[in-house]
Amino acid sequence: MLTIGIALLAILLATHGVGAVREILAQVGWQAVIVIAAHLPVTFLATVSWQVLLPPDRRPPLTFLFRVRLIKEAVNALLPVAQVGGDVVRAKLSARNGLTLAEATASCVVDVLAGTVGLVLFVLASLLVAIATLHDPRLAQAGLTLVAIVLGVALSAYLAHKVGLHRRLSQFSQRWTAIAGRAGELGDAFRLIGRQRGNLFASWAWHMAAWLAGAFETYVSMWALGLDPTLLQALIVEGLAQTAKVVGFAIPGALGVQEGGYLLLGGALGLTPDQALALSLLRRLRELTLGVIGLVLWRTTRAPAADPEPVTA
């Protein structure tokens, strides 16, 4: 999948001109630091949305959870783990200070679900804003294309389930659950989180705030490229970028898919193909920079040592 993504990106750059894109990115200069820093509030809000799901008396410090969240994003962005490996890593790293691995795993799963609900609402809102403000028939066609792709992915998953692939996924799930000790312990952790309705709502609300902060990050990126953006344009572009990630979930960082999405709707947003590609590549620069930092933090962050298993006769 990584090879496919690299090939898609190379084709798009060759088609639309590497030189023009390089010239646009060269105009950013030191402002790239601001673009990278603009993502940190997004990570912070997403960290808070996860923290509220953890037991109040045994929550690790917010600074530590922020560090683990950076590691999670780095793993998902730079490694071929289909956007799930980062959550496995953060579950293992966050099991400390009295927090069991079952509680950490359950909190990560519920956090992903709350974020997914927020993402769906955010993408729908950005699409509605785009249709209402741009009045471009190409936008409606592109939106239908993206919806068709998502439905195709869902249909493929359903067919795979019918032919028996769910058994293999179930075996994988059981192995992942086994790291928590017993399946019952993990189930208890899920039920405990489920009873805290206020915390579930708070997690969703913090995730929505994180998605909106992502739109502001996109606004900063467009500003750094000299595109004279509006907040509505940034909202639409961010919704597009997140949709591309969903479509290309199997490719690390949706490499190539995101660039194609920017080109698909760039005309409706008043962007030239060069500007659309430059905007996507600037986002790649941020992902690469923070991703490298996250991987370095991973190497320097140790999970707690497991308790020795009792010896049986």
Side-chain angles (χ1 to χ4, degrees):
M1 286 299 183
L2 179 59
T3 303
I4 295 175
I6 294 174
L8 285 174
L9 180 59
I11 291 172
L12 291 173
L13 287 174
T15 303
H16 295 279
V18 178
V21 175
R22 184 173 60 246
E23 290 179 3
I24 295 175
L25 288 176
Q27 298 175 4
V28 177
W30 65 269
Q31 294 172 340
V33 177
I34 301 178
V35 173
I36 295 171
H39 182 72
L40 296 180
V42 180
T43 303
F44 175 79
L45 292 171
T47 302
V48 177
S49 70
W50 173 34
Q51 185 192 42
V52 298
L53 297 173
L54 298 171
D57 56 334
R58 284 174 285 115
R59 288 174 182 168
L62 184 59
T63 53
F64 173 77
L65 294 179
F66 180 79
R67 178 190 184 105
V68 173
R69 181 78 193 193
L70 281 175
I71 295 172
K72 178 248 186 184
E73 293 181 357
V75 172
N76 283 348
L78 301 183
L79 301 182
V81 292
Q83 300 297 314
V84 296
D87 291 294
V88 177
V89 171
R90 70 161 165 161
K92 292 181 178 181
L93 292 178
S94 58
R96 57 178 58 202
N97 297 336
L99 190 68
T100 67
L101 188 53
E103 291 171 329
T105 302
S107 69
C108 291
V109 173
V110 176
D111 178 60
V112 170
L113 293 176
T116 302
V117 172
L119 174 61
V120 171
L121 294 177
F122 175 76
V123 169
L124 289 176
S126 64
L127 184 59
L128 290 176
V129 170
I131 294 175
T133 58
L134 298 180
H135 306 291
D136 193 318
R138 292 175 297 177
L139 184 62
Q141 295 173 359
L144 291 176
T145 300
L146 292 174
V147 170
I149 293 174
V150 173
L151 289 177
V153 172
L155 180 61
S156 299
Y158 174 76
L159 293 177
H161 174 80
K162 295 299 289 184
V163 300
L165 186 58
H166 64 286
R167 296 190 187 95
R168 297 180 183 178
L169 294 177
S170 176
Q171 293 173 358
F172 174 78
S173 177
Q174 290 173 3
R175 293 170 186 165
W176 192 37
T177 301
I179 66 177
R182 294 178 301 175
E185 184 181 357
L186 185 59
D188 292 340
F190 276 119
R191 284 188 288 272
L192 180 61
I193 295 176
R195 287 195 294 265
Q196 307 296 325
R197 301 295 178 85
N199 291 344
L200 289 174
F201 178 80
S203 178
W204 169 80
W206 283 109
H207 269 297
M208 288 300 298
W211 296 126
L212 292 174
F216 178 74
E217 175 193 348
T218 299
Y219 175 88
V220 173
S221 299
M222 297 175 73
W223 164 79
L225 289 170
L227 300 180
D228 192 22
T230 65
L231 289 176
L232 287 180
Q233 284 179 325
L235 176 67
I236 296 169
V237 171
E238 179 62 17
L240 165 65
Q242 296 303 329
T243 303
K245 278 192 173 183
V246 174
V247 174
F249 72 97
I251 301 175
L255 190 64
V257 179
Q258 175 180 290
E259 284 71 23
Y262 273 85
L263 288 172
L264 188 63
L265 295 182
L269 295 170
L271 302 179
T272 66
D274 296 340
Q275 290 173 334
L277 275 179
L279 180 60
S280 181
L281 292 178
L282 185 57
R283 187 186 190 96
R284 294 292 181 201
L285 175 63
R286 185 268 296 167
E287 291 177 351
L288 179 61
T289 303
L290 293 181
V292 171
I293 293 174
L295 293 181
V296 172
L297 290 175
W298 187 16
R299 295 290 297 176
T300 58
T301 302
R302 294 183 177 273
D307 295 332
E309 295 183 359
V311 179
T312 56

